[in-house]
Amino acid sequence: MIYSDYHVHTKFSTDSQAEMTDMIDKAVSLGLKEIMFTDHMDIDFPDRNMPFCLYYPDYSEAVNLYKVLYMKKIDVLIGVEMGLQKHIVMEARMFTEFNPFDFVIGSTHVIDGLDVSDPKFFEGKTKKQAYTEYFESVLENAKLHNCYNVYGHLDYVNRYAPYEDKSIDYADYADVIDEILKVLVNKGKGLDVNTSGYRYGIGRPYPQGAILKRFKELGGEIITVGSDAHRPEDIADHFEDAYKIIKEAGFKAIASFRNKKPQFVDIK
């Protein structure tokens, strides 16, 4: 049984046109028990045409309305995907603390003023250099910020890579990835197992199974599963595959959040 989708975007994110009702209806049709909306908030995003600025009053009003209207069918929960950068620690903390959320995904989308999806990020860099720079930025953000519950799509940088072989082998970056995982464990944070990698031709979730296994070995406990859906048809996409990989990594449960506090639901 697929229990929940913990990474969902709607028209409250700049890059989605999806209506909340359409996303909820799809989740209900699949038998999900929870849906967590995690629309984007990326402070100081470099593309001014894509501001990724979440206006909380309107967002929370919509979520609270559908929480009531769908209460007999599914739990509708309010979260945010917070873009983390080294110079916005206070701003990110204020936004996530002053506005009540059930759940916060922290993600690295921008490094030194460049969107990771921008080809300019990769210009003049070998694959090793670009990926290492990305993971080092994740490590820095994981240390500096404390506003997040899970880290989003940990090894997704290869989604945008221009290299002929853009695969990521955990072993090639084990030193820096292990440091990231240790920070998450020590802070009581978790990982977003993000199935969008299947949709974008990567053939696996973010992060890969080897990273999930290492997270478990280091004492990690908190795992959420999200589709990163921007359209109704992508809700809970490839979740059966994700659950299998999570179980193979040694986890027996996924996390469910209320007021940023986790509870655990056994994977069936």
Side-chain angles (χ1 to χ4, degrees):
M1 179 189 74
I2 305 303
Y3 186 79
S4 57
D5 192 332
Y6 261 60
H7 195 145
V8 177
H9 297 284
T10 72
K11 66 180 182 180
F12 286 96
S13 288
T14 305
D15 58 352
S16 174
Q17 297 299 317
E19 298 287 344
M20 278 190 174
T21 50
D22 293 337
M23 304 302 254
I24 299 170
D25 286 339
K26 179 63 175 181
V28 170
S29 74
L30 294 171
L32 272 61
K33 303 302 181 185
E34 299 177 356
I35 183 169
M36 181 71 75
F37 287 113
T38 55
D39 279 303
H40 284 290
M41 180 62 170
D42 269 84
I43 297 170
D44 200 21
F45 194 76
D47 186 348
R48 300 308 180 197
N49 294 317
M50 299 282 284
F52 291 112
C53 186
L54 184 63
Y55 185 59
Y56 184 85
D58 288 350
Y59 182 56
S60 60
E61 182 179 16
V63 173
N64 289 335
L65 172 63
Y66 298 129
K67 182 187 292 287
V68 173
L69 295 180
Y70 284 87
M71 63 185 300
K72 294 182 180 180
K73 297 180 178 180
I74 191 172
D75 285 337
V76 178
L77 303 169
I78 187 166
V80 61
E81 183 176 11
M82 189 78 219
L84 305 181
Q85 299 186 62
K86 60 187 177 183
H87 65 287
I88 61 158
V89 175
M90 184 57 69
E91 293 91 334
R93 177 184 175 187
M94 290 175 65
F95 185 78
T96 54
E97 288 189 2
F98 291 172
N99 297 311
F101 287 106
D102 288 309
F103 177 65
V104 179
I105 301 172
S107 296
T108 293
H109 297 136
V110 178
I111 300 174
D112 293 332
L114 284 176
D115 182 358
V116 174
S117 69
D118 189 334
K120 292 180 181 178
F121 173 74
F122 297 94
E123 284 182 1
K125 300 171 187 173
T126 65
K127 182 174 84 167
K128 181 76 171 181
Q129 289 171 334
Y131 291 4
T132 298
E133 182 178 349
Y134 167 77
F135 285 123
E136 287 177 346
S137 180
V138 170
L139 175 59
E140 183 175 35
N141 284 323
K143 289 179 177 178
L144 288 173
H145 291 269
N146 201 44
C147 65
Y148 61 97
N149 300 116
V150 302
Y151 218 97
H153 43 61
L154 188 68
D155 58 352
Y156 90 129
V157 64
N158 69 331
R159 169 180 164 183
Y160 307 104
Y163 313 110
E164 183 176 351
D165 174 14
K166 56 185 185 179
S167 63
I168 294 177
D169 187 337
Y170 157 72
D172 292 337
Y173 306 90
D175 289 348
V176 63
I177 291 175
D178 280 4
E179 288 304 308
I180 294 168
L181 299 180
K182 289 174 185 177
V183 170
L184 298 181
V185 170
N186 290 337
K187 287 190 168 190
K189 309 299 186 182
L191 286 173
D192 157 52
V193 179
N194 188 306
T195 63
S196 66
Y198 291 103
R199 295 199 302 278
Y200 295 114
I202 305 300
R204 62 167 177 82
Y206 303 117
Q208 60 193 262
I211 294 176
L212 291 175
K213 182 178 181 181
R214 184 61 175 148
F215 184 54
K216 179 66 174 176
E217 291 172 349
L218 292 169
E221 296 180 346
I222 297 172
I223 293 288
T224 58
V225 187
S227 63
D228 209 340
H230 291 66
R231 311 174 302 169
E233 54 263 42
D234 294 328
I235 293 287
D237 180 49
H238 279 89
F239 273 31
E240 294 87 352
D241 297 311
Y243 278 23
K244 180 180 179 182
I245 291 170
I246 291 167
K247 286 164 52 174
E248 289 173 348
F251 294 91
K252 297 181 179 179
I254 57 174
S256 170
F257 279 83
R258 301 290 189 284
N259 298 317
K260 303 177 189 172
K261 303 296 184 184
Q263 297 179 329
F264 294 92
V265 178
D266 290 341
I267 301 174
K268 302 298 182 182

